[in-house]
Every structure is written in C-alpha cells, then in structure tokens.
C-alpha cells in the first residue's frame, strides 16, 4: 500500500512539474509609472474561461502560474482609466511587461454591484446577500449555503473539508474556539461579508516565518459599532413545552461581549455551544475542553442516528458570558473573561436484542435489555485570559476552573436465552445509580520574546483534576451471572467506589531563527503526568458495608516523565509551504500497586518525525503531502489489576504480568485542492494510509452478556485506508449552490474472542449530495442526502460476512405566497437495510411564519413529527454480534414562537 501512495504522489507531482508555466512582468502607463491593482488574466482562446489570474502590487508587478494543454492562450490586462488589451501568448514561461494607454470613459450612470465571491492573496470574501434566502435569519443559516464551507450539526465549521482554526469578528477572537454561540445567534442582517483567511497564522509575530495550513473565518460587520443579537420565546404542548433563547451581543473596536441564556425541553441541545471547536497552535498555549474521566457508568440506552431534536427528552438551562476588552492604548493587550453554567436533565429509553456469535470456545446466545435512564448534569466553568498579539511580542495566559456535579440513573430489565447462558430465559431487574463530582484546574502560558533577530518561545501548561465516582447496583443478585464473581447471597446491593487524582505539567522552550529563507526552531521540553487510582468494590449486608478483598481493590500510581529535544523546520514563499518537526523523546513510564503485584516500567527513546508540504500552482490549486510517526504507551486504564465494575455488565482487570502497551503509529497522506472564486468552483481529493502496530491484543470473554477483558502479548496491526472527494459549485444564474461528496474507508485488524483468533475487515462507503436554491421569489429549497454502505467480514475462529446500507435525507422547502408570510415543510428520512431487515423512519414538520417587517419580529407556529412516530428501529453488527435496537422518540408536538433581533 505504501508503494501505491508513493506512486500516486510521484504521478501527481510529475504532472504538476511538467505542466505548470509562469508569466510575470510589470504593468505601467504611457509615462512608465507603475499601475497598481490592475487585473491580469490568462484565458483559453475562444472560451472566455479564466484559468489563472493576478493583481498587480504597488510597484505594478505581477506573477501568474498556470496549467493548460492549449498551445496558445489569451493574455488580458485591465485597469481603471486605461485601455484594456488582449494579446495571444504561447504556453511557456515568459515575461510580459505592458504599457497601457490612457482612456477616459464618460460615465452616464453608475451601478454598484458587489461580487458574491472575491479573492485577494490568501483571503476569500463572500458577500452574504448573494447566498441568503427569505427564510434565513442567522449567520449559520447562510454559511451552510456558501460553497467550500460546511457547518456540521455540532456547530463545527469546515472549509474544504477541514476544521477552521479561528472564528473572528472584526479580527478579534472573542469566543476562543467556542464560536457556536455567535454563529447560531448573530443576525444575518448585521453581517456584510464572511472572509476565509487561508493558511492563517494567528500569532502575528510568526506570520511569514512559521506557516500554517489551516483556514480561519473572519466576520465583517456592516457597522463599526454594532449592538445586535437574537432572541426567541416559545411555548407549546404535548406535553407542556417551552423554548427561550436570549443572546444579546456587542462589537466595537475596543470592546466585544456576548451574553447567552437558553432554556428548553423541546430537544434542542444548546449546552454544547460553549465547547471549543477551533484548534490552537502550540505557540498559543494549550486549552482543552474540561471533561470527566468516566470510568464508571450505568447501562445506557442507545442513541439513534437521528437529528438530536427527534429523540432528546431534556430540561436544560444554559447561561454563558464572553467579554473582551483592550487594556492598553495601542490595543495590543486584550483581557478576556469567559463563564458558563449548565443544568440539564435528560431521559432516555431503549430496547436492545443482541445475538452473540458462537466461537470454538463458547456457544452462541441472545441477550435482551430494556433500559430507562435519567442523566443529570450540573457544570460551572470560569476562565480568564490575558493576551498580547503584536508584531514585536506575544503573550498569552489562560486560567480556568471547572466543576461538575453529575449523576446518572438506570432502571434495567435483562433476559438471557440460549446455550451460552447460565439460566436460560432468566429475567432480572436492577436499579443503578452513579454520583460523579469532578474538579479541574488549568493554567496555560505561552510567550514569544524577540531577541536580536531571533525569537524565544516559552510555554507552560499545568492541569489538576480530581474525579470521585460511585456506582451502585441493586439488588446484588443482578450481578450473579458475571463469570467468576459472587456478589453474596445476603447482599442487598453492590457499590463500586473510585477516585482519580491526576496532575499534568508540560514545559518547553525554543528559539527561532531564520537561515536562507528557512525558520529553524530547536526546542527542549519536559512532559510529566501522574495519576493515582483508588478503587474499592464492596456490598451492603444488613446495612453494613463489606469489601470483597484485595482482588477487587486498586491502589495504583502511574507516572509518565518525558524529556525531549526537537528541531522544527519551516519555510514559506509564494508557492511553497513547509513545516516539519524532528523530536527525540525519552519515555519513562512506571506503574506501581504492590498489593496487586503491579510493578511495570518502561524506558524507551523514540524518534517521532512529522512533515507537511504544500505547493500552490496555477492560481487555484494546492497540492500537499503529510506524514508522521508517533508512539503511544497506554494510560492508567491499561495498568490496573484489581477488578473494577466499570458498568453493571462489565467487570474488568488487567493481567499484572502484561508489559506496558507499546503502539507504533505510522501514517501518510496526500491532498489536492482547487478553489476558484472566479467561477465559484471548489473541490478537494484526499488519500490517507495508516499502520498501527501494537504489542498487546484484546481478548474479551463474553458470557451471559457480560464482558471480561484480557490481553494477549502478541504483535498485531491495524491497517487503515481512507479516500475522499468533494466538489461544490455555486450557479449564480440559477441561485443554486450544489456539492457532491464521496468517502471510502477500509480497516483490517487482528482480533481475539474467548482465546480464539480471527481477522476482521470493515469497509465503509458514503455518497452525499447537497444543494440549495433561491431562484424563485416564492420558494426556496434546501436538500441533503447521504447513502452509506458497510461490509464487515471476519475469517478464522469467527466467520461472518454482514452487509448493511443506510439512506438519510433532509428536505426543507419554504414557500412565500404573500409578502411577510412563510410556509415551511421539513422531511427527515432515515433508512437502514440489511439482508433480513429493512427499517424506514420518516419524520415530517410543517410551519407557518408571519413577519412584522417594521419591527423585524417573526411569529411562528410549528407542528413537529406530524406522523407521531414514537420509536426508532435500527439494525447493527460487528465481528462478535448482531443487534436490533428500538429507541423512544419525542412525540408529535406543536410550538408557538416569537423570534426577534436585538436592534
């Protein structure tokens, strides 16, 4: 497979090197004075098709690279108050310096027309009015229709299939990655343009020195001082429903703020808006979404592959505030304050039937479960950030504190049938509870100090986290079928207690200097992580707590210390972008729990290089390659040897004799990208190959529907191949934006089940189509469809060949029969098909909206799930089992909502 990748890369770059030509020169007037901002285009003769273009700089200079099979091409130059020229040139490298003749033009009438997409350097600007429809209200509504941009269901914005690294408003990063709030609530009427900043380096001091392959989004507002925002207040029935969204926001040159309060019980998952979606470079420090270490869990009802609003039974209150201000006269220093609080209660219910395959060492059998869950989330977060981002210095320090007070509940009925069960047809019920408070503290510092012609960068990251979790299962007899475990005849309930104390520290220093166009950054650093695990499994008898002994306890200390040295190599010019890193790591890992006979150490030096190279050619093309090698040595969850009841159907411990896991991951990929704002075409093609080599292989034993996990010391591989392609075009004449996508992934791996070896292959394909149309004044259409095919085959101890296909689509149609009146229809269709199963799930919504245009207020009545579909059915499979799942859905409901803008 590596040979295939190499051949593909050689062919791609051979074509590029062979076909690319360059035309450069200078444009002046009759007196030899340079003409800036003149447009120079290369076109195919007789076709009026621009294949490359350029704009002259302040010195009148230009340089254009292009690729064409034509022998001769049209060379055109246009400039204000100058006579345009067209001449034919050969398809070869050449210099064309042109003198233009003055030409005064009498202007009888001036009509200002803004181009929908314009490009200048690495910035592509989209005029929002060119893409919106009468039904759109927010920035996100319109961005979903812009070619080259995709807004995913979780709010993440993709450009050419890759996540953006920044979401800016007038050049300022108020949200620090949590941009979903602005995207979903900024009225479209306040926005003038959306800018894509390609190859965006967010640290000003590094621009032109340390390149970036990621893009950023910058929102240009119509007014320099903008007070705006979006609000909704809604009520409904079946049962009593409410939905309130209030998001005022303010933007000026010195201050920005957003306040957000949202509450509902209609299935709108608003609490994730504060999650960090953007990425951060290492020079900006390290910020992460605080999350619990969820070692313990109740048995969970399955979640359907549906829009969340179809199945989420919630009662949520979410409030957040973001504030940014400049604290110096030069406007180089910024203070940002971020705070949010979530209170959420979720209900979920599902029925699941699983057929486990027979193996040479175990017979097949069925497990059925009926699960009802309550999940309770209480979370508070506060963060303070100081930033200086200037050409002559960089400083950023962020301090955050997060507290969780979460609790989960489960009511479960389980039945076992078949030859592999201890009690054929036995039905058991249990009540399951979890209390899981978590405290986290983070501080991240990064500063870049100029030193003569060099840059000195120092970073520091500290994180402390404490997790306390308690899982209770009642009655204790519910666990009696776990192989090798006796919960106790007189026990009323079983309690698993667990505590984790984790401390992480990462410190580094590097110096950057330039040599012959390259920026070199030698670096030294030290990474340290220490985790203490304490756990006890016991039971209650006559109100007294009794432990099961040391075999079911853990007192484990796991430490990782990694000093390292690396060399970074960076280069950027008009055509090439390169960054590479060559680190040498000294990995020192130790796991200790004397009572459980755990005493493992690993001391290993690793070389983990990474490389990214990108080449821009023919004005509109980008070709790139990337490759990396990295090592992973497991975490504390691979080292504990006292049994832990991680869930009521999973009792696990690791063999203390096993070595520390050693996983060597190698990957390589290539990408070809085309974006042409002149004819509104965007496409990208990707290929990636990875090989993960592991020294341990999982060997689960499944009995009575319970998992006992062991590991076998044996080298094994997981091979992955991934292909993807996407093409999109906007058709101005028809006011239509359309795109097609294709993805194919293949994974091959070795596996064990109950000590029986087999090989496993998974192939997944998906085909997608998306378009929206606003051609008619009385109607607009949005349509998305996706077809998936999955093939899972196993050979060896398990021989299976299962196939499944799925089809999903969403159709949104809006009619405008009269001014200020809108009728909407929405259709979600989700189908799952297998040889013996065919499930079709359809959902329909209708709405009517009246707009009070003078006040910009919408009054909407919406009827959701008209067919009152109450359950979702689906079919799934893997190498060990086939499952049928039935999940509860939200019933038919009617909402009346008032929507408005703040100013």
């Amino acid at each position: 497979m590596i040979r295939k990748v190499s051949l593909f890369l050689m062919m791609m770059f051979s074509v590029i090197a062979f076909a690319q030509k360059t035309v450069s020169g200078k444009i002046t007037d009759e007196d030899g004075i340079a003409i800036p901002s003149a447009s120079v285009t290369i076109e195919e003769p007789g076709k009026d098709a621009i294949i490359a273009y350029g704009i002259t700089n302040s010195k009148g200079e230009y340089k254009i690279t292009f690729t064409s099979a034509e022998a001769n091409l049209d060379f055109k130059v246009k400039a204000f108050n100058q006579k345009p020229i067209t001449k034919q040139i050969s398809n070869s490298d050449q210099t064309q310096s042109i003198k233009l003749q003055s030409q005064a033009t009498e202007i009888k009438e001036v009509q200002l027309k803004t181009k929908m997409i314009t490009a200048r350097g690495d910035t592509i600007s989209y005029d929002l009015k060119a893409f919106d429809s009468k039904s759109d209200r927010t920035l996100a509504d319109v961005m979903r229709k812009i070619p080259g941009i995709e807004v995913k269901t979780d709010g993440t914005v993709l450009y050419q299939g890759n996540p953006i690294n920044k979401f800016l408003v007038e050049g300022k990063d108020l949200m620090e990655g949590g941009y979903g709030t602005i995207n979903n609530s900024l009225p479209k009427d306040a926005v003038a343009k959306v800018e894509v900043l390609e190859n965006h380096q967010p640290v000003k001091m590094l621009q032109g020195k340390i390149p970036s392959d990621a893009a950023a989004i910058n929102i240009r507002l119509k007014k320099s001082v903008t007070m705006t925002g979006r609000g909704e207040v809604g009520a409904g029935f079946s049962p009593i429903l409410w939905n309130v969204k209030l998001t005022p926001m303010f933007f000026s040159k010195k201050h920005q703020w957003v306040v957000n309060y949202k509450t509902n019980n209609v299935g709108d998952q608003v609490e994730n808006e504060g999650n960090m979606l953007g990425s951060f470079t290492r020079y900006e420090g390290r910020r992460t979404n605080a999350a619990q270490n969820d070692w313990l869990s109740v048995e969970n009802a399955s979640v359907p592959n549906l829009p969340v609003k179809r199945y989420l039974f919630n009662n949520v209150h979410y409030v957040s505030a973001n504030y940014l201000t400049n604290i110096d006269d030069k406007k180089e220093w910024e203070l940002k304050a971020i705070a949010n609080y979530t209170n959420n209660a979720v209900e979920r219910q599902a029925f699941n039937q699983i057929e486990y395959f027979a193996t040479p060492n175990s017979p097949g059998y069925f497990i059925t479960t009926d699960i009802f869950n309550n999940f309770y989330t209480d979370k508070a977060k506060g963060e303070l950030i100081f930033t200086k981002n200037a050409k002559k210095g960089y400083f950023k320090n962020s301090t955050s504190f997060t507290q969780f007070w979460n609790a989960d509940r489960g009511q479960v009925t389980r039945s076992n049938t078949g030859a592999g069960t201890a009690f054929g047809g036995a039905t058991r019920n249990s009540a399951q509870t979890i209390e899981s408070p978590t405290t986290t503290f983070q501080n991240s510092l990064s500063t870049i100090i100029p030193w003569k012609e060099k840059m000195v960068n120092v970073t520091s990251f500290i994180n402390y986290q404490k997790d306390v979790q308690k899982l209770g299962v009642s009655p204790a007899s519910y666990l009696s079928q776990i192989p090798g475990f006796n919960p106790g005849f007189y026990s009323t309930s079983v309690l698993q207690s667990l505590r984790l104390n984790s401390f992480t520290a990462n410190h580094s220093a590097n110096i950057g200097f330039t040599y012959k166009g390259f920026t070199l950054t030698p670096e030294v650093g030290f990474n340290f992580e220490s985790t203490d695990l304490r756990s006890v499994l016991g039971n209650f008898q006559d109100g007294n707590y009794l432990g099961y002994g040391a075999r079911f306890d853990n007192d484990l200390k796991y430490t990782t210390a990694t000093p390292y040295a690396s060399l970074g190599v960076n280069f950027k010019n008009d055509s090439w972008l390169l960054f590479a890193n060559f680190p040498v790591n000294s990995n020192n890992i130790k796991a200790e729990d004397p009572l459980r006979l755990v005493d493992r150490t690993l001391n290993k030096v690793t070389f983990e290089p990474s490389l990214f190279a990108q080449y821009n050619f023919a004005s509109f093309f980008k070709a790139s390659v990337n490759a990396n090698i990295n090592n992973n040595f497991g975490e504390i969850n691979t080292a504990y040897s006292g049994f832990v009841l991680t869930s009521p159907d999973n009792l696990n411990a690791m063999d203390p004799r096993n070595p520390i896991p050693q996983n060597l991951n190698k990957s390589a990929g290539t990408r070809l990208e085309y974006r042409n704002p002149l004819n509104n075409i965007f496409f990208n093609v990707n290929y990636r190959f990875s090989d993960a080599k592991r020294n341990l292989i999982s060997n689960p034993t499944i009995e009575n529907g319970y998992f006992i996990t062991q590991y076998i010391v044996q080298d094994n591989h997981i091979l992955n191949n991934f292909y993807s392609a996407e093409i999109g075009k906007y058709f101005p004449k028809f006011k239509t934006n359309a795109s097609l996508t294709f993805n194919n992934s293949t994974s091959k791996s070795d596996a064990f089940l109950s000590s029986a070896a087999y090989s496993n292959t998974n192939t997944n394909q998906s085909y997608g189509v998306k378009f929206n149309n606003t051609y008619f004044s009385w109607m607009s259409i949005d349509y998305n469809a996706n077809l998936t095919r999955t093939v899972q085959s196993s050979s060896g101890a398990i021989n299976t060949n299962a196939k499944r296909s799925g089809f999903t689509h969403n159709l949104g149609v809006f009619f405008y029969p009269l001014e200020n009146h809108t009728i909407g229809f929405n259709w979600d269709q989700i189908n799952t098909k297998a040889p013996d199963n065919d499930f079709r799930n359809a959902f329909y919504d209708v709405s009517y909206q009246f707009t009070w245009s003078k006040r910009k207020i919408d009054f909407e009545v919406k009827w959701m799930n008209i067919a009152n579909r109450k359950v979702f059915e689906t079919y799934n499979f893997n190498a060990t089992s086939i499952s049928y799942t039935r999940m509860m859905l939200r019933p038919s409901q009617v909402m009346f909502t008032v929507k408005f803008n703040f100013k």
Side-chain angles (χ1 to χ4, degrees):
M1 185 55 65
I2 294 178
R3 293 177 60 188
K4 292 181 180 179
V5 177
S6 301
L7 181 60
F8 178 82
L9 295 177
M10 291 174 63
M11 292 175 61
M12 184 179 72
F13 283 110
S14 295
V15 170
I16 292 169
F18 177 78
Q20 182 175 303
K21 301 295 184 296
T22 300
V23 177
S24 61
K26 187 175 182 179
I27 308 300
T28 62
D29 62 13
E30 293 175 302
D31 298 323
I33 299 174
I35 300 178
S37 301
S39 69
V40 184
T41 59
I42 307 293
E43 302 181 13
E44 293 188 357
K47 297 182 180 179
D48 195 27
I50 298 175
I51 61 175
Y53 75 101
I55 304 293
T56 58
N57 60 19
S58 59
K59 298 179 181 180
E61 299 168 336
Y62 72 93
K63 183 179 180 180
I64 303 174
T65 57
F66 62 92
T67 302
S68 176
E70 298 289 337
N72 297 298
L73 300 163
D74 285 344
F75 176 83
K76 296 182 179 181
V77 182
K78 295 180 181 179
F80 184 69
N81 275 340
Q82 305 293 327
K83 185 177 181 180
I85 70 160
T86 299
K87 62 182 295 187
Q88 195 170 79
I89 62 173
S90 62
N91 187 353
S92 62
D93 294 329
Q94 57 193 284
T95 299
Q96 290 286 343
S97 293
I98 303 296
K99 283 189 176 183
L100 298 180
Q101 297 179 2
S102 298
Q103 177 176 285
T105 304
E106 182 182 355
I107 302 175
K108 297 180 180 179
E109 181 181 0
V110 177
Q111 291 184 347
L112 297 178
K113 294 185 178 180
T114 303
K115 278 195 171 185
M116 62 184 67
I117 306 176
T118 58
R120 189 173 185 85
D122 284 339
T123 300
I124 299 178
S125 298
Y126 299 85
D127 180 20
L128 219 62
K129 285 186 177 180
F131 301 97
D132 72 345
S133 65
K134 293 181 180 180
S135 60
D136 295 331
R137 292 294 181 268
T138 66
L139 175 62
D141 292 338
V142 186
M143 283 185 63
R144 290 185 173 93
K145 301 172 181 177
I146 294 177
I149 295 178
E150 178 184 357
V151 182
K152 299 181 71 66
T153 54
D154 66 351
T156 302
V157 177
L158 305 181
Y159 174 68
Q160 286 282 57
N162 291 326
I164 62 172
N165 65 358
K166 291 290 179 182
F167 188 96
L168 312 172
V169 179
E170 293 295 341
K172 294 182 180 292
D173 186 12
L174 167 65
M175 305 308 292
E176 283 286 342
Y179 55 77
T181 300
I182 289 183
N183 204 21
N184 292 330
S185 302
L186 179 61
K188 68 171 186 177
D189 295 337
V191 180
K193 290 185 177 182
V194 173
E195 295 179 341
V196 174
L197 313 178
E198 297 186 320
N199 301 121
H200 177 65
Q201 170 55 264
V203 180
K204 295 179 181 179
M205 195 174 178
L206 303 179
Q207 291 174 356
K209 299 175 182 178
I210 307 296
S212 168
D213 66 319
I217 296 289
N218 183 42
I219 307 303
R220 293 292 183 186
L221 303 175
K222 293 179 178 178
K223 299 179 180 179
S224 59
V225 178
T226 301
M227 176 67 190
T228 186
R230 186 73 177 159
E232 296 182 18
V233 178
F237 58 89
S238 184
I240 301 300
L241 304 172
W242 73 85
N243 186 13
V244 177
K245 300 180 181 180
L246 302 172
T247 313
M249 53 187 73
F250 175 82
F251 303 98
S252 70
K253 293 182 178 180
K254 187 175 181 179
H255 304 281
Q256 293 187 355
W257 56 259
V258 173
V259 177
N260 183 32
Y261 173 68
K262 295 183 178 179
T263 177
N264 74 84
N265 67 344
V266 298
D268 193 357
Q269 201 173 30
V270 297
E271 65 274 13
N272 292 333
E273 281 193 345
N275 288 348
M276 284 181 280
L277 304 173
S279 59
F280 299 91
T281 68
R282 62 167 309 282
Y283 292 96
E284 298 177 88
R286 180 177 171 184
R287 294 177 65 246
T288 60
N289 285 312
Q292 295 182 289
N293 288 309
D294 292 324
W295 275 57
L296 310 182
S297 66
V298 298
E299 293 181 78
N300 290 332
S302 301
V303 174
N305 182 24
L306 284 174
V308 174
K309 65 181 180 180
R310 300 296 183 189
Y311 65 83
L312 182 62
F313 292 84
N314 67 331
N315 184 332
V316 63
H317 297 267
Y318 175 72
V319 59
S320 67
N322 291 65
Y323 176 71
L324 178 153
T325 184
N326 290 109
I327 54 179
D328 68 323
D329 293 336
K330 293 183 178 180
K331 297 182 180 179
E332 292 181 343
W333 283 90
E334 290 180 344
L335 167 65
K336 301 176 190 178
I338 301 172
N340 58 62
Y341 173 71
T342 302
N343 176 271
N344 193 17
V346 172
E347 293 182 359
R348 191 178 298 157
Q349 186 174 358
F351 170 83
N352 196 33
Q353 178 177 288
I354 305 177
E355 177 187 0
Y356 289 99
F357 302 139
T359 72
N361 301 322
S362 63
Y365 55 92
F366 288 87
I367 298 292
T368 60
T369 53
D370 203 338
I371 303 175
F372 179 83
N373 289 129
N374 292 98
F375 303 108
Y376 302 100
T377 300
D378 273 288
K379 174 190 172 186
K381 178 184 177 180
E383 186 172 15
L384 205 60
I385 303 173
F386 288 93
T387 305
K388 177 185 179 181
N389 191 2
K391 287 290 186 180
K392 295 183 178 181
Y394 180 80
F395 177 90
K396 183 173 184 178
N397 189 89
S398 62
T399 304
S400 67
F401 176 83
T402 307
Q403 179 67 50
F404 294 86
W405 303 270
N406 289 1
D408 299 337
R409 302 290 183 264
Q411 296 288 335
V412 182
T413 300
R414 171 184 285 257
S415 298
N416 303 4
T417 58
T421 59
F423 306 99
T427 299
R428 291 162 295 121
N429 300 289
S430 75
Q432 305 169 10
T433 64
I434 278 189
E435 306 294 332
S436 55
T438 294
T439 302
T440 68
F441 171 82
Q442 289 184 5
N443 191 84
S444 173
L445 167 68
S446 178
T447 183
I448 305 175
I449 304 169
W451 178 44
K452 297 181 180 180
E453 299 300 320
K454 303 177 180 64
M455 303 176 297
V456 178
N457 174 226
V458 177
T459 66
S460 174
F461 174 78
I462 295 174
N463 179 79
Y464 171 77
Q465 180 161 326
K466 180 180 180 180
D467 296 276
V468 178
Q469 300 174 28
K470 294 182 179 181
L471 169 63
V473 182
S474 178
S477 58
Y478 182 79
L479 307 177
S480 61
Q481 292 193 55
I482 296 180
F485 176 65
N486 181 7
F489 184 78
Y490 297 102
S491 301
T492 56
S493 61
V494 172
L495 178 66
Q496 173 70 70
S497 299
L498 181 143
R499 185 181 67 196
L500 283 171
N501 286 319
S502 304
F503 175 77
T504 301
N506 308 128
H507 307 296
S508 69
N510 69 49
I511 183 169
F513 57 93
T514 301
Y515 177 74
K516 293 185 177 181
F518 287 86
T519 299
L520 307 179
T521 54
E523 176 177 309
V524 293
F526 181 71
N527 298 329
F528 177 80
E529 185 172 351
S530 175
T531 305
D532 294 327
L533 168 65
R534 306 285 188 271
S535 72
V536 176
L537 182 64
N539 64 84
F540 285 93
Q541 296 184 19
D542 298 325
N544 297 315
Y545 180 78
L546 303 175
Y548 288 109
R551 184 167 171 255
F552 295 89
D553 298 347
N554 285 283
D555 188 0
L556 176 65
K557 185 176 183 64
Y558 193 92
T559 59
T560 301
T562 310
Y564 70 90
S566 69
L567 175 64
V569 180
N570 303 273
F571 177 78
K572 186 179 189 304
N573 62 16
D574 292 339
S575 298
W576 283 97
L577 181 153
L578 167 72
F579 48 90
N581 196 35
F582 303 98
V584 177
N585 304 318
S586 176
N587 303 279
N588 304 279
I589 302 172
K590 189 171 183 61
E592 297 177 288
D593 185 354
L595 194 57
R596 260 63 54 182
L597 303 177
V598 177
D599 186 10
R600 307 184 199 175
T601 60
L602 183 144
N603 301 287
K604 188 172 183 178
V605 176
T606 59
F607 177 55
E608 304 181 17
S610 62
L611 168 71
F612 176 87
Q614 179 179 280
Y615 184 55
N616 299 319
F617 63 100
S619 296
F620 308 116
F621 283 92
K622 292 182 179 181
S624 63
V625 294
N626 62 86
N628 66 78
I629 298 174
N630 66 76
N631 291 268
N632 180 278
F633 299 101
E635 302 289 344
I636 192 171
N637 58 0
T638 64
Y640 69 93
S641 63
F643 281 96
V644 176
L645 188 70
T646 54
S647 71
D649 62 348
N650 203 338
L651 183 65
N652 276 340
M654 306 302 161
D655 190 333
R657 297 169 297 180
N658 282 347
I660 289 176
Q662 298 184 46
N663 303 323
L664 176 61
N665 304 301
K666 300 178 182 179
S667 65
T670 183
R671 174 181 174 88
L672 179 64
E673 180 180 325
Y674 176 85
R675 67 275 182 273
N676 187 343
L678 299 178
N679 57 15
N680 310 315
I681 293 180
F682 296 78
F683 78 76
N684 60 82
V685 181
N686 301 270
Y687 171 74
R688 188 162 192 83
F689 169 78
S690 67
D691 177 6
K693 180 183 177 181
R694 307 173 297 177
N695 67 328
L696 297 177
I697 188 168
S698 174
N699 179 31
T701 300
I702 308 174
E703 296 184 35
N704 306 327
Y706 292 90
F707 290 78
I708 304 296
T709 302
Q710 299 173 321
Y711 285 86
I712 296 174
V713 181
Q714 176 180 310
D715 287 347
N716 62 99
H717 292 260
I718 300 177
L719 304 177
N720 288 288
N721 282 277
F722 176 77
Y723 310 81
S724 72
E726 178 183 15
I727 182 169
K729 178 172 173 57
Y730 185 78
F731 300 89
K733 183 177 180 179
F734 302 101
K735 293 186 177 181
T736 298
N737 181 37
S739 66
L740 299 172
T741 59
F742 169 75
N743 293 279
N744 183 92
S745 64
T746 302
S747 175
K748 297 181 179 180
S749 61
D750 301 317
F752 275 84
L753 177 64
S754 301
S755 299
Y758 66 98
S759 61
N760 193 46
T761 301
N762 281 283
T763 301
N764 296 281
Q765 292 181 341
S766 68
Y767 308 82
V769 59
K770 177 176 70 173
F771 73 87
N772 54 75
N773 178 278
T774 58
Y775 179 78
F776 301 101
S777 61
W778 53 271
M779 181 183 69
S780 62
I781 299 175
D782 290 292
Y783 183 75
N784 295 272
N786 193 57
L787 175 66
T788 60
R789 295 176 179 175
T790 302
V791 179
Q792 189 278 323
S793 60
S794 302
S795 60
I798 297 177
N799 286 280
T800 62
N801 187 18
K803 298 180 180 180
R804 183 187 64 184
S805 63
F807 174 72
T808 65
H809 82 74
N810 171 261
L811 172 65
V813 184
F814 294 91
F815 300 96
Y816 316 105
L818 299 171
E819 185 72 19
N820 299 325
H821 295 264
T822 303
I823 299 173
F825 172 74
N826 186 77
W827 173 18
D828 288 327
Q829 182 75 42
I830 301 91
N831 298 343
T832 304
K833 186 175 183 179
D836 300 320
N837 298 277
D838 190 358
F839 301 109
R840 300 175 181 270
N841 301 273
F843 303 89
Y844 308 99
D845 308 326
V846 294
S847 63
Y848 166 75
Q849 180 173 284
F850 170 73
T851 300
W852 186 6
S853 57
K854 184 178 180 180
R855 299 292 185 181
K856 293 186 177 180
I857 298 176
D858 297 322
F859 301 91
E860 181 189 64
V861 177
K862 190 171 186 178
W863 183 9
M864 293 161 284
N865 192 7
I866 297 173
N868 199 25
R869 181 176 291 275
K870 297 180 179 179
V871 297
F872 176 84
E873 297 177 292
T874 190
Y875 161 90
N876 208 341
F877 58 81
N878 56 41
T880 61
S881 64
I882 296 176
S883 65
Y884 160 78
T885 305
R886 184 173 65 245
M887 291 153 276
M888 294 296 297
L889 301 177
R890 296 189 64 89
S892 181
Q893 56 192 43
V894 177
M895 288 287 296
F896 173 75
T897 305
V898 180
K899 305 177 183 180
F900 54 91
N901 293 346
F902 291 97
K903 289 192 176 181

